[in-house]
Amino acid sequence: MRTIPTTPDLRNALDNLRKQDKRIGFVPTMGALHEGHRSLVKMSKQQTDVTVVSIFVNPTQFGPNEDFSRYPRTIEADESILIDEEVDFLFLPEVDQIYPAGHSSSIHIGPISSVFEGAIRPGHFDGVAIVVSILFNIVQPNVAFFGQKDAQQLAVIRKLIRDFAFPIDIIASPTIRDENGLALSSRNRYLSENEKNEALAIPTMLFLAKDLLMNGQSPADAKMASTLEFQRLAPNMKLDYLDIVDNETFQPKSSFDNRQNSPSATIIIAARIGATRLIDNLLI
Ligand code: AMP
């Protein structure tokens, strides 16, 4: 694996490969890598000729009171995971490679960026949209891989691709969970054992809401029942939202057809325990 910190060096290396008609796969991350990231890398290795992973903790997607400065940075461990997966290039830029002095442009992605995660984290998805656009322009991948774990981010990226006509295929990878069902996240390392146990209420509620919807309950009833059950199971957690939304627009669903073959909705949840905020979702 070659670790490349600058845009011109990465461009040169990839231009040569592109001339040889190599298909380039791209996995953008913020590091603190775990099995969820590894699954995206494995997909890229299987489906493309050259895999580029980026590690960049993007300041523009963190709000002023969020965890940018304490976001875990574990670069040595990350590099050994990526070497183990036989990644070709690690793009490891400093902030000035992505946002050179004087950078001032922004992207407002529209209504989807101001509901749920976007309502609680104002500006978050605009920060995601600008950094992903810049990374897409630097890497110019044929295919980019994103986790279903961040469902609203995935919907934002799909919208970005459509709205700006990026010639890039987006592939979504299923959420990887630990043996108890908790979705893997770089932020899980902040949790104590007790907090981890209580956080299991998150996936439990997703599966409860799914059962209720599959058994014919309306989204409103499924939301109410699983919200009450969440509060009973996890009294120390603060629920930010639990809802059933359209996969593409993230607008709440007023009805759900349980006879459909392909997923038409997403159950979404976000909750805080102590200083840690966790999100999860289930396609139904
Ligand atoms: P992050 O480093 O948190 O920005 O995540 C980088 C990519 O990994 C994003 O596309 C995430 O959706 C994806 N990802 C994070 N956690 C998981 C997980 N548990 N399973 C699958 N993909 C994940």
Side-chain angles (χ1 to χ4, degrees):
M1 182 176 79
R2 259 183 80 190
T3 298
I4 300 187
T6 68
T7 302
D9 287 348
L10 185 71
R11 280 218 166 112
N12 275 340
L14 294 177
D15 278 350
N16 283 333
L17 292 161
R18 225 174 267 113
K19 278 185 203 129
Q20 298 164 36
D21 276 340
K22 302 283 189 203
R23 267 170 72 74
I24 295 171
F26 179 41
V27 182
T29 81
M30 297 204 301
L33 302 181
H34 50 63
E35 289 299 314
H37 300 108
R38 210 190 262 267
S39 70
L40 298 181
V41 169
K42 282 189 194 298
M43 266 197 175
S44 176
K45 288 291 296 180
Q46 278 160 11
Q47 299 186 24
T48 67
D49 303 313
V50 177
T51 292
V52 182
V53 174
S54 64
I55 296 182
F56 180 63
V57 185
N58 173 36
T60 65
Q61 71 188 68
F62 287 80
N65 299 318
E66 292 183 0
D67 59 349
F68 174 70
S69 54
R70 73 174 194 123
Y71 195 84
R73 288 157 171 93
T74 60
I75 192 62
E76 277 174 24
D78 292 351
E79 280 190 300
S80 69
I81 289 175
L82 299 176
I83 289 168
D84 188 44
E85 292 299 331
E86 301 182 0
V87 162
D88 301 285
F89 295 100
L90 167 59
F91 183 44
L92 191 59
E94 295 290 339
V95 172
D96 64 353
Q97 289 297 309
I98 303 296
Y99 303 113
H103 184 284
S104 61
S105 300
S106 59
I107 294 179
H108 182 55
I109 207 78
I112 190 176
S113 64
S114 48
V115 294
F116 298 106
E117 278 305 282
I120 287 168
R121 306 183 66 187
H124 170 67
F125 288 121
D126 294 353
V128 168
I130 189 82
V131 76
V132 169
S133 303
I134 294 167
L135 289 168
F136 280 171
N137 281 330
I138 293 172
V139 177
Q140 297 178 39
N142 301 88
V143 195
F145 298 83
F146 290 87
Q148 177 61 38
K149 159 74 168 50
D150 297 283
Q152 194 171 354
Q153 170 174 280
L154 181 60
V156 163
I157 305 287
R158 292 197 199 280
K159 178 113 182 53
L160 184 75
I161 292 279
R162 280 196 305 274
D163 286 1
F164 287 87
F166 278 111
I168 300 171
D169 291 331
I170 299 299
I171 297 198
S173 176
T175 301
I176 306 295
R177 299 175 180 281
D178 73 8
E179 61 284 3
N180 299 314
L182 187 66
L184 297 188
S185 160
S186 303
R187 292 185 170 99
N188 290 359
R189 68 191 71 206
Y190 301 142
L191 301 175
S192 66
E193 276 313 302
N194 282 344
E195 288 176 332
K196 246 188 191 168
N197 280 334
E198 191 157 341
L200 293 179
I202 290 177
T204 307
M205 284 320 100
L206 292 176
F207 289 101
L208 171 67
K210 177 180 176 178
D211 281 350
L212 297 174
L213 289 160
M214 289 302 180
N215 285 323
Q217 281 204 13
S218 67
D221 288 348
K223 173 181 168 174
M224 173 117 66
S226 33
T227 300
L228 288 174
E229 183 59 7
F230 182 85
Q231 284 156 350
R232 193 185 70 77
L233 269 185
N236 300 311
M237 293 187 79
K238 185 189 166 297
L239 187 63
D240 279 345
Y241 57 76
L242 189 169
D243 221 313
I244 296 104
V245 298
D246 178 84
N247 293 340
E248 216 171 276
T249 62
F250 268 64
Q251 290 303 309
K253 299 274 282 186
S254 53
S255 63
F256 175 71
D257 178 359
N258 60 1
R259 292 156 304 183
Q260 278 188 352
N261 293 329
S262 57
S264 62
T266 309
I267 309 168
I268 54 171
I269 185 168
R272 289 163 215 242
I273 185 149
T276 308
R277 197 163 171 278
L278 301 172
I279 62 170
D280 200 351
N281 69 89
L282 202 57
L283 274 173
I284 47 166

